Amino acid sequence: MAQPSPGGRRGMKPSRQPRPPQRVIPIIAAPAGGGSCSPERRPRGLLALAGDWLRDHGSLLRKLQWAVVLVYAFLLIVPACLSLPEDTARMWDNLTIFAQFVFWGIWWPFVLLSMVLFGRLWCGVLCPEGALSEWAARKGMGRPIPRWMRWGGWPFVAFVLTTVYGQLVSVYQYPKAALLVLGGSTVAAVIVGFIYTRGKRAWCRHLCPVNGVFGLLSKLAPLYYRVDEAAWKASHERTPAVDCAPLQPLRHMQGGSGCHMCGRCSDHRSAIQLSLRPSSDEVVRVAEKEADGWQTALIVYGLLGVAMGAFHWTVSPWFVWLKQTAAEWLVDRDIMWPLDTNAPWWLLTHYPMHNDVFSWLDGASLISYVSATSLALGSGILLSLALAVIMAGRWQTQRLHHLAQALIPLAGCGVFLGLSALTVTLLKAEGYGMHWVNHARLALLAGANLWALRLAFGILARWKAGLRGYLALAPFCAALALVDCAWGFMFWWW
């Protein structure tokens, strides 16, 4: 998987009329979604000043980004040039295993967690791919973003293709596969940056495989840049346009799903500041109009479908049955070529020295299993959501997309649990006791379910569904139960 990133403030700071010194006040949560305020200048709280600090230290942030780029490149390239570790090798004495632990055991799970806590701060301050794409765009051709790149389905398609391909080449296990998937994404980000826009992040906004996932999870974050449109209109400051790398419509920006939290727009026209909000605000209020079919597809068939199948197949007895049944059918008919293991490593896993080789049948079985899991689980969830919408009063497709947003906590929790399973495996190999893990997993799932229920209740209340809203929670709970059962099979029942 790939991701987005930051940038610093370009050029001179906007000139302002001298102001009397302001008194710093404690953090006060701003009203969610903006709203009118007096044109008179308000004292700025600590969070707003933190946003100003990010704005004013762009050069420092760029140095931090390049440091992350160097670490990222070292951990990605060097292990791919080394021999694969022996079975007796351990994390603290083998760079390949250490890099595997850093990338898949720490980096990715906790980048996802950071989206829920801080919004897309990773994208705006640390992401190496976004930094390289923006740097290339400053040096490149500056062409306008073409229509094909603006297609709304790319976040879903890119996530699905990257996830499935990563499983086929065993991206979590082998450094060459990691270099191919992550490095390939980075090269693509640089190429897109060099061709399109002038100093912006077309890759991050439209094509990054995890842009859609990050955008969904950041809707839950309590931090965001609040835009006060009344203050914007009332401001007569003559300021240059903000160098917004992800190309956000700042004046009308309501939520944080597309914002990279880099701080470049902080205090622009005295109308934008880093603020607190209820964690349900963007899902319950903003998504009522902004949710769409592609976001629903990413939640239901992507994060809760394809990702589930990708985590499932390695431990699933159903996958073993599927492959054995297909193999017997082929042998009975003397069709032997699907059993060959002559695919190159960049197409299917091929490491004979470690007895890890995929046949063509293995690859086809994996794709079939992930597809079947996604279709079965996703369709069951979608049907439950549709029934909930009908029971809540009247059918509207937009309401279906809105209610699907309530599943974001459970979808994010699932991806975190799946990625952290490798963390647990590696720590067990190092001799660490992990007997408490399943209890922690159960607690996380329970918390995610309660969070999803709270969001669904808020959405139904916003629809003014009344008693029907309580009845609609029953099919919504059925959708939650489908997801919980899938995790139950993986962690407890198989």
Side-chain angles (χ1 to χ4, degrees):
M1 292 197 295
Q3 343 63 344
S5 168
R9 192 177 184 82
R10 183 173 62 180
M12 299 173 57
K13 296 180 184 177
S15 59
R16 301 181 184 277
Q17 298 297 326
R19 303 192 192 105
Q22 302 294 335
R23 180 172 59 90
V24 175
I25 63 172
I27 300 173
I28 301 177
S36 63
C37 77
S38 168
E40 184 178 333
R41 180 74 172 176
R42 290 179 175 179
R44 295 172 63 73
L46 295 180
L47 269 182
L49 295 176
D52 294 347
W53 187 92
L54 290 173
R55 177 199 66 200
D56 296 335
H57 291 79
S59 60
L60 176 62
L61 295 181
R62 283 192 293 273
K63 292 176 183 177
L64 178 61
Q65 290 161 22
W66 284 110
V68 175
V69 167
L70 292 175
V71 173
Y72 173 78
F74 177 81
L75 293 177
L76 198 59
I77 296 172
V78 174
C81 300
L82 302 175
S83 300
L84 290 174
E86 301 294 333
D87 293 339
T88 57
R90 290 293 177 263
M91 183 194 313
W92 305 115
D93 60 20
N94 187 277
L95 179 61
T96 299
I97 300 178
F98 177 76
Q100 180 189 24
F101 179 73
V102 169
F103 271 126
W104 306 113
I106 298 178
W107 192 315
W108 278 109
F110 289 95
V111 164
L112 293 174
L113 181 61
S114 76
M115 299 294 153
V116 178
L117 298 177
F118 309 111
R120 299 181 66 166
L121 187 67
W122 161 265
C123 300
V125 177
L126 295 173
C127 175
E129 201 164 277
L132 288 170
S133 185
E134 185 178 347
W135 170 80
R138 295 187 188 281
K139 308 290 184 182
M141 302 165 65
R143 292 183 179 178
I145 298 175
R147 175 179 290 185
W148 66 264
M149 193 183 296
R150 299 176 186 271
W151 180 51
W154 284 123
F156 172 73
V157 172
F159 174 79
V160 169
L161 292 180
T162 304
T163 300
V164 174
Y165 180 64
Q167 296 301 306
L168 292 174
V169 296
S170 298
V171 68
Y172 300 147
Q173 285 76 35
Y174 296 105
K176 284 185 178 180
L179 178 60
L180 178 64
V181 175
L182 297 180
S185 177
T186 303
V187 169
V190 172
I191 293 173
V192 169
F194 185 81
I195 297 174
Y196 300 108
T197 77
R198 181 67 67 190
K200 307 299 181 183
R201 299 185 181 184
W203 169 265
C204 300
R205 181 179 171 90
H206 296 291
L207 299 178
C208 172
V210 288
N211 171 51
V213 177
F214 288 174
L216 290 173
L217 295 180
S218 63
K219 292 184 179 189
L220 305 174
L223 294 176
Y224 81 130
Y225 279 90
R226 173 180 173 268
V227 181
D228 190 326
E229 291 196 46
W232 185 299
K233 293 177 182 178
S235 173
H236 300 293
E237 298 180 52
R238 301 183 63 181
T239 59
V242 175
D243 178 25
C244 180
L247 300 164
Q248 292 301 292
L250 296 178
R251 180 171 178 173
H252 305 292
M253 185 171 68
Q254 289 291 301
S257 59
C259 173
H260 284 192
M261 302 292 287
C262 62
R264 300 183 202 185
C265 64
S266 184
D267 202 31
H268 182 65
R269 298 179 67 92
S270 304
I272 303 178
Q273 67 179 35
L274 184 61
S275 307
L276 289 173
R277 64 175 178 178
S279 61
S280 61
D281 177 67
E282 190 162 351
V283 168
V284 173
R285 183 182 61 84
V286 180
E288 184 174 21
K289 294 182 178 179
E290 292 188 355
D292 59 36
W294 286 116
Q295 291 183 24
T296 300
L298 181 57
I299 295 168
V300 173
Y301 287 103
L303 292 171
L304 294 175
V306 169
M308 184 72 73
F311 293 131
H312 254 210
W313 72 271
T314 56
V315 296
S316 172
W318 301 337
F319 173 78
V320 175
W321 173 85
L322 171 67
K323 189 172 70 170
Q324 288 180 344
T325 302
E328 291 171 1
W329 186 90
L330 291 169
V331 170
D332 289 343
R333 287 156 181 79
D334 200 28
I335 305 173
M336 305 304 294
W337 68 264
L339 304 179
D340 291 342
T341 57
N342 55 357
W345 68 270
W346 48 265
L347 188 59
L348 294 174
T349 301
H350 189 86
Y351 300 93
M353 67 294 294
H354 283 259
N355 296 316
D356 194 3
V357 177
F358 278 15
S359 66
W360 297 102
L361 175 61
D362 290 325
S365 299
L366 192 157
I367 293 173
S368 299
Y369 183 86
V370 172
S371 300
T373 301
S374 177
L375 287 173
L377 190 56
S379 297
I381 293 169
L382 199 62
L383 181 62
S384 299
L385 293 177
L387 184 58
V389 171
I390 293 171
M391 292 181 68
R394 57 192 174 88
W395 171 262
Q396 283 185 345
T397 304
Q398 184 60 31
R399 284 191 167 191
L400 175 67
H401 300 325
H402 190 196
L403 187 59
Q405 303 267 312
L407 293 172
I408 292 175
L410 191 58
C413 178
V415 177
F416 179 84
L417 289 175
L419 288 174
S420 63
L422 180 60
T423 313
V424 172
T425 299
L426 291 172
L427 289 176
K428 283 182 177 179
E430 297 296 319
Y432 294 98
M434 306 297 290
H435 305 293
W436 51 270
V437 167
N438 274 347
H439 299 293
R441 287 167 173 161
L442 185 60
L444 285 173
L445 275 176
N449 276 266
L450 291 174
W451 195 349
L453 269 174
R454 178 172 174 267
L455 291 176
F457 187 83
I459 290 170
L460 293 167
R462 189 168 182 86
W463 295 352
K464 297 180 173 58
L467 179 60
R468 285 177 170 269
Y470 290 98
L471 298 176
L473 288 175
F476 183 81
C477 288
L480 299 181
L482 285 173
V483 180
D484 293 338
C485 284
W487 288 114
F489 279 114
M490 179 169 176
F491 290 131
W492 291 285
W493 304 334
W494 278 337

